[in-house]
Amino acid sequence: MAVGKGVLTTCNYHARKYGCRSGMAGFVAMKLCPQLICLPLNFEKYTKKAQEVREVLAQYDPRFQSASMDEAYLNITQYCADYEMNPDEVVSQLRTQVFERAKITVSAGIAANARIAKIASNRNKPNGQFRVASDRATILAFMQNLATRKVNGVGRVFERELDAIGVKTCGDIYAQRALLSKIFGEKAFHFLMQVHLGLGHTSVRPAEEYERKSVGTESTFRDMSGKEELRAKLRWIAEELEKDLARTQHKGRTLVLKLKLHTYEVLTRQVVPPKAVSTADDLYTYALPMFQKLEREIPSMRLRLMGLRCTHLVSTKKEDVDFFGLKRSLPSSTNTPSSNNQRTPADATGQEWEVWPEDEFETAAREERQQEFDQLEKFSQEYEDNEPSTNDQSTTRSQQKASEEADRRRRGNQTDIPAYPKKEYRSDNNNTTPRNRRSDGDENNQTWHCPICTRPQIASDRDFNQHVDYCLSRSTIREAVERTGEEDLPANGDGVSSAAGGGEKMMS
């Protein structure tokens, strides 16, 4: 038995024995299992049952985190202490209570952090529970032979890339640590090392308190190719997205169009409107040109999925301001979390907050970009210092122009400044003299050192001022690129965090 007609949203364990799975096309599932029974979707019933389950979960942790309609994280540390029960007893009692209330069986994982709890919840399915002890040795042993694909965040492509360098299990990560940052980057390196050590975030809070990264909606349907029919579907999706944006109180600076062809090929296009958008009219207006362009590129286009998503969100919530437009300060005793999720170094008990890696990874990315910029500048200066003889001057100048053009493209053409003529020098017996300026016999030629790049320049007011202007312009461009990069850098919502606590976590 399965749910969903065009695409399966889920299926029972009997159907999975035949190879059926969620996300599979309905006709493919029917070929694998001809006796498969596909039920239509009933979101009203799912929402009602999910609410019944959440009412039970709230009794054990009022601030539980709902990851989806059928998945949640709870911190049961306080409940265990209040009722003097061990975690296994608490989770067993919770599962029994859920079944009595909603007639639904649940599987659960118990561990010291959310990542291991998520993995453990799949160990004793269906209708079971599994606990990983909180001591370091047990956690490392649990992760040692765990396949990388079992970790939330490692998909099919990433699994194949890791397998190519000999990383098949989480225990193999440490042996290949020297290659990880070089191949996948620093962010992936930190993520994989935390996976190897079994680290994960230990704070559990309602999803509403997390900063939202995007708002989107999409619809799956039978093959559709009519021009008017597809535009009507696009308009309907824009109207649905408008409702979601109004509910979450956001506008989007970037609009993303997602299409899935009848061949199951997924296409995405995005546009940056001149203003943040939230209304159905604006969403449809800016999405339609992207859709029309794809229609021209793919004649007789047939779709089975269409979606719109807004990213780089802008909140439309009204701030608490006074008559003069100044934000009212909250009383010092207020314990409400900050809207920007900033954390103080320590809480009232003196315990430090766990480190959130999103900020660390963004900082590391900026540092890497700065280091790359500095290295390129250094290489450029060394290249000019080691210029060949005059016979190769024309070739060198053409290479310089190509290098400068590539450098401007790399910086995004943020600012276009005139390229002042650079002074050419050669080194003879450690005495630097400008070419085509003085005779080679004038070894006592005076030079001035540029205060920006510290390189020697010919002692000429006009030439020296031009060189300083050029150096200052390069510094200005660099600062502009850094500011632009910091403003446009999207927040990383798929990071992981260091485990700082030892409380039991339950995921069901």
Side-chain angles (χ1 to χ4, degrees):
M1 182 177 295
V3 178
K5 295 293 185 178
V7 176
L8 303 188
T9 58
T10 188
C11 55
N12 61 13
Y13 289 92
H14 294 291
R16 294 181 187 183
K17 294 178 181 179
Y18 292 88
C20 301
R21 56 177 175 80
S22 59
M24 177 177 287
F27 73 91
V28 176
M30 292 299 296
K31 289 182 179 180
L32 294 174
C33 182
Q35 64 271 34
L36 183 67
I37 301 174
C38 294
L39 301 177
L41 296 171
N42 189 342
F43 286 105
E44 183 179 353
K45 183 177 181 179
Y46 306 151
T47 303
K48 181 180 178 181
K49 286 298 180 179
Q51 184 59 33
E52 293 178 0
V53 174
R54 289 167 181 168
E55 290 175 359
V56 177
L57 301 183
Q59 299 175 19
Y60 293 83
D61 180 12
R63 290 177 54 78
F64 73 91
Q65 178 181 337
S66 180
S68 64
M69 188 175 289
D70 63 345
E71 184 177 325
Y73 296 87
L74 290 82
N75 187 342
I76 60 174
T77 307
Q78 190 61 43
Y79 190 93
C80 293
D82 292 343
Y83 292 91
E84 298 181 351
M85 300 172 64
N86 64 49
D88 294 285
E89 294 173 344
V90 172
V91 174
S92 179
Q93 175 182 295
L94 182 149
R95 293 173 48 244
T96 302
Q97 193 172 346
V98 168
F99 183 77
E100 292 175 351
R101 172 70 187 278
K103 296 297 183 286
I104 292 177
T105 60
V106 296
S107 301
I110 312 168
N113 59 64
R115 170 174 287 132
I116 302 180
K118 166 71 174 177
I119 299 171
S121 67
N122 294 317
R123 281 299 180 96
N124 284 334
K125 281 188 173 183
N127 194 24
Q129 65 186 59
F130 185 84
R131 181 184 179 187
V132 180
S134 300
D135 60 282
R136 183 176 184 272
T138 302
I139 292 176
L140 290 176
F142 177 77
M143 302 299 295
Q144 180 67 27
N145 297 320
L146 184 71
T148 56
R149 186 62 184 274
K150 299 292 185 181
V151 178
N152 192 29
V154 178
R156 175 173 51 86
V157 176
F158 197 14
E159 178 192 24
R160 292 178 179 177
E161 292 174 342
L162 291 173
D163 183 74
I165 62 172
V167 178
K168 299 180 182 296
T169 67
C170 296
D172 298 331
I173 294 175
Y174 187 76
Q176 303 294 339
R177 62 191 182 278
L179 301 176
L180 299 178
S181 61
K182 303 297 183 183
I183 298 175
F184 304 112
E186 286 298 320
K187 180 179 178 181
F189 171 76
H190 281 273
F191 168 74
L192 292 171
M193 291 307 298
Q194 289 183 348
V195 168
H196 170 74
L197 296 173
L199 301 179
H201 70 82
T202 60
S203 64
V204 175
R205 52 187 174 137
E208 293 77 12
E209 294 183 7
Y210 286 93
E211 182 182 358
R212 182 179 287 272
K213 307 301 180 184
S214 65
V215 178
T217 184
E218 59 185 42
S219 175
T220 303
F221 39 81
R222 294 185 179 274
D223 289 4
M224 185 183 301
S225 59
K227 185 175 181 180
E228 297 301 326
E229 194 177 10
L230 289 174
R231 279 163 173 69
K233 177 63 72 172
L234 181 61
R235 177 69 191 189
W236 178 82
I237 292 176
E239 292 172 353
E240 292 298 311
L241 181 55
E242 178 187 30
K243 297 176 184 177
D244 292 338
L245 290 169
R247 176 175 52 83
T248 59
Q249 296 181 296
H250 284 98
K251 292 183 177 181
R253 294 189 180 276
T254 303
L255 179 62
V256 182
L257 172 67
K258 176 182 177 181
L259 302 177
K260 181 185 288 186
L261 304 180
H262 70 287
T263 58
Y264 292 89
E265 179 184 0
V266 178
L267 305 175
T268 58
R269 299 292 185 270
Q270 68 179 29
V271 66
V272 180
K275 62 177 182 179
V277 294
S278 63
T279 64
D281 291 338
D282 288 340
L283 295 170
Y284 180 77
T285 299
Y286 292 110
L288 185 59
M290 294 188 289
F291 183 78
Q292 291 174 333
K293 184 177 180 181
L294 286 172
E295 280 185 323
R296 293 191 295 269
E297 295 174 356
I298 309 174
S300 304
M301 183 170 60
R302 292 160 54 195
L303 303 179
R304 59 182 303 107
L305 179 144
M306 184 184 296
L308 289 175
R309 184 175 76 253
C310 283
T311 61
H312 298 98
L313 301 178
V314 178
S315 176
T316 59
K317 293 180 181 179
K318 295 182 179 180
E319 300 288 347
D320 186 15
V321 296
D322 58 19
F323 177 79
F324 298 99
L326 301 177
K327 187 173 182 179
R328 296 191 182 97
S329 59
L330 297 175
S332 58
S333 60
T334 302
N335 293 324
T336 56
S338 172
S339 60
N340 57 6
N341 293 331
Q342 292 181 349
R343 286 168 170 73
T344 56
D347 59 14
T349 62
Q351 297 178 347
E352 293 185 356
W353 290 97
E354 58 181 304
V355 179
W356 292 91
E358 290 85 356
D359 296 334
E360 291 183 348
F361 293 164
E362 291 174 7
T363 301
R366 288 194 293 267
E367 291 177 353
E368 287 180 353
R369 189 166 59 250
Q370 177 63 42
Q371 291 174 1
E372 180 185 7
F373 184 94
D374 294 338
Q375 287 178 354
L376 287 172
E377 259 194 344
K378 179 181 178 181
F379 293 155
S380 176
Q381 292 177 0
E382 291 176 352
Y383 174 80
E384 293 173 359
D385 288 338
N386 298 322
E387 280 183 337
S389 61
T390 309
N391 295 332
D392 299 329
Q393 193 172 22
S394 59
T395 304
T396 301
R397 287 177 178 174
S398 63
Q399 292 175 347
Q400 285 180 346
K401 292 180 180 179
S403 176
E404 292 170 0
E405 180 63 25
D407 193 41
R408 282 196 294 273
R409 286 198 300 268
R410 180 184 62 80
R411 300 180 188 182
N413 289 325
Q414 297 292 333
T415 307
D416 193 8
I417 61 170
Y420 292 102
K422 299 180 181 179
K423 308 301 174 293
E424 299 173 348
Y425 297 87
R426 82 179 166 201
S427 178
D428 292 329
N429 300 328
N430 296 328
N431 290 326
T432 305
T433 59
R435 299 179 186 172
N436 303 328
R437 292 284 185 175
R438 302 287 179 90
S439 64
D440 293 340
D442 190 0
E443 298 180 355
N444 297 322
N445 181 42
Q446 184 181 1
T447 60
W448 296 342
H449 285 78
C450 172
I452 310 301
C453 68
T454 70
R455 297 178 58 202
Q457 305 295 323
I458 186 172
S460 168
D461 290 338
R462 179 178 177 275
D463 293 340
F464 185 77
N465 288 334
Q466 283 186 345
H467 175 83
V468 171
D469 289 343
Y470 174 73
C471 282
L472 290 174
S473 298
R474 290 196 301 178
S475 300
T476 303
I477 292 176
R478 180 173 59 185
E479 293 173 359
V481 171
E482 291 174 353
R483 287 196 300 269
T484 304
E486 292 175 356
E487 293 173 357
D488 295 341
L489 189 63
N492 198 338
D494 56 347
V496 293
S497 60
S498 303
E504 298 288 350
K505 300 292 178 293
M506 193 281 287
M507 196 285 294
S508 62

